[in-house]
Amino acid sequence: MKKLNGILVVNSFIGLEKFTELYRMLLDAAGKNDVSLKIRTTASLLSPVGELFTDEPIPDFVIFWDKDVYLASRLENAGIRLFNSAKAVELCDNKALTAINLSKAGVKIPKTVIAPKTFDGVGYNSLDFALKAADILGYPLVIKEVFGSFGAQVYLAQNKESLFDIIAYIGYKDFIMQEFTGRKNVGRDVRINIVGGKAVASMLRYNDHDFRSNISNGGSMTAYNPSEEQIIAAEAACKALGLDFAGVDVLFGDDGTPVICEVNSSPHFRSTLDCTGVNLAEHIIRYISEALS
């Protein structure tokens, strides 16, 4: 069987150790599975639209570990198989599109209201829409900027005053408002890692000092055996968004029903390895090898 040659596409401008460590893990897993994998930054693939980098043979596949959907689309237009696809990355990166597509597929999410769009230099000269959303969702309500990672662009509005203050802080950027789900389990969710449509590792994340459970925000983790309902919900979310692999954050619904909070197309799986002993890099490489065999 032909040896596979792939490229790991990463962001040119993020040099944090927690990112570079993931890249090393993927490279190591590829080497162990006799797959050739090279790192290329998004800037190194710069070329005119309609043309593609020509300094090396076209790869058999690309692991696209970034959110540059423009480049991802161009690579796909050149006939290269991407893991994950440009469309899947786009749907995960944009929380409004995530909500729309999960809801369309019948996947349970928090009740969500998408803020009407405004523009730089215009802003919001009326907040009647926010008051209407609060009537629908109740207080407290969660506000999420459409683009954001690690919980840094997620806020909790306790009342009208904090709602208005948060919107003023966000400015003209797109955002969604969501019902505060899981009041009995504040600061707790389950990260279920999916590869090839199947759950491969899970952990409970919890934070006693914040409604966000993100490890990067001071949350803690422990290995977790998810329920069948939680697994079904996470796998359905990945199917709805067309993902080859993902980290799915599942909330504990007030009635016990799993609720999908967010879906990450390039999950930071070092914490999963530390918590569960499962190396997602190896699962991803094996899945790609089987998909292309």
Side-chain angles (χ1 to χ4, degrees):
M1 185 174 66
K2 173 189 171 184
K3 181 175 182 176
L4 292 174
N5 291 284
I7 291 178
L8 171 62
V9 175
V10 305
N11 189 275
S12 297
F13 312 108
I14 300 177
L16 298 175
E17 172 61 21
K18 66 180 180 180
F19 285 84
T20 57
E21 183 179 24
L22 292 183
Y23 308 156
R24 289 195 298 268
M25 292 171 68
L26 286 164
L27 293 176
D28 290 345
K32 291 177 181 177
N33 287 272
D34 197 31
V35 173
S36 174
L37 187 65
K38 301 177 181 178
I39 290 183
R40 293 290 182 270
T41 66
T42 50
S44 73
L45 302 179
L46 192 72
S47 63
V49 173
E51 302 178 22
L52 202 60
F53 57 94
T54 57
D55 60 337
E56 58 186 292
I58 299 298
D60 298 310
F61 68 92
V62 163
I63 300 177
F64 202 82
W65 214 265
D66 193 46
K67 298 179 179 182
D68 188 343
V69 294
Y70 309 122
L71 176 59
S73 295
R74 294 180 57 221
L75 293 171
E76 286 182 334
N77 289 343
I80 303 172
R81 172 68 187 274
L82 265 61
F83 301 86
N84 285 298
S85 71
K87 187 63 175 179
V89 172
E90 180 184 23
L91 295 182
C92 285
D93 188 37
N94 184 316
K95 292 179 177 62
L97 294 180
T98 301
I100 290 169
N101 283 271
L102 291 182
S103 179
K104 179 181 178 182
V107 177
K108 187 172 180 59
I109 62 172
K111 185 179 291 186
T112 301
V113 175
I114 301 173
K117 190 172 185 63
T118 189
F119 302 94
D120 189 13
V122 178
Y124 292 106
N125 51 32
S126 171
L127 291 176
D128 288 348
F129 76 90
L131 295 176
K132 182 177 180 180
D135 286 340
I136 295 170
L137 302 173
Y139 290 111
L141 63 87
V142 177
I143 299 176
K144 298 179 179 178
E145 295 182 30
V146 161
F147 300 107
S149 301
F150 306 113
Q153 292 80 24
V154 179
Y155 318 93
L156 190 63
Q158 298 283 1
N159 48 44
K160 182 179 76 172
E161 289 71 26
S162 61
L163 173 63
F164 286 4
D165 287 345
I166 292 167
I167 293 174
Y169 175 77
I170 291 174
Y172 70 92
K173 291 178 285 187
D174 297 344
F175 67 94
I176 63 174
M177 294 164 282
Q178 292 185 318
E179 182 180 24
F180 188 57
T181 301
R183 293 170 187 262
K184 298 177 182 178
N185 291 279
V186 176
R188 291 161 56 90
D189 70 11
V190 179
R191 164 61 64 89
I192 302 180
N193 293 282
I194 307 290
V195 180
K198 302 296 182 182
V200 297
S202 303
M203 59 183 181
L204 175 70
R205 305 187 306 178
Y206 57 96
N207 191 328
D208 295 332
H209 307 288
D210 199 305
F211 74 100
R212 299 165 296 181
S213 63
N214 304 74
I215 305 302
S216 56
N217 281 338
S220 300
M221 59 189 176
T222 187
Y224 182 79
N225 185 24
S227 68
E228 182 179 359
E229 292 77 13
Q230 289 170 326
I231 292 173
I232 289 172
E235 291 177 351
C238 286
K239 182 178 180 180
L241 301 175
L243 289 152
D244 295 297
F245 52 81
V248 184
D249 299 336
V250 185
L251 299 171
F252 296 88
D254 293 326
D255 62 355
T257 304
V259 179
I260 301 300
C261 177
E262 293 186 9
V263 185
N264 306 276
S265 62
S266 50
H268 281 253
F269 51 75
R270 176 71 217 199
S271 56
T272 298
L273 174 60
D274 292 339
C275 183
T276 68
V278 177
N279 187 342
L280 261 74
E282 295 179 356
H283 282 270
I284 290 170
I285 293 297
R286 287 198 294 268
Y287 166 71
I288 292 172
S289 297
E290 293 170 2
L292 297 178
S293 62

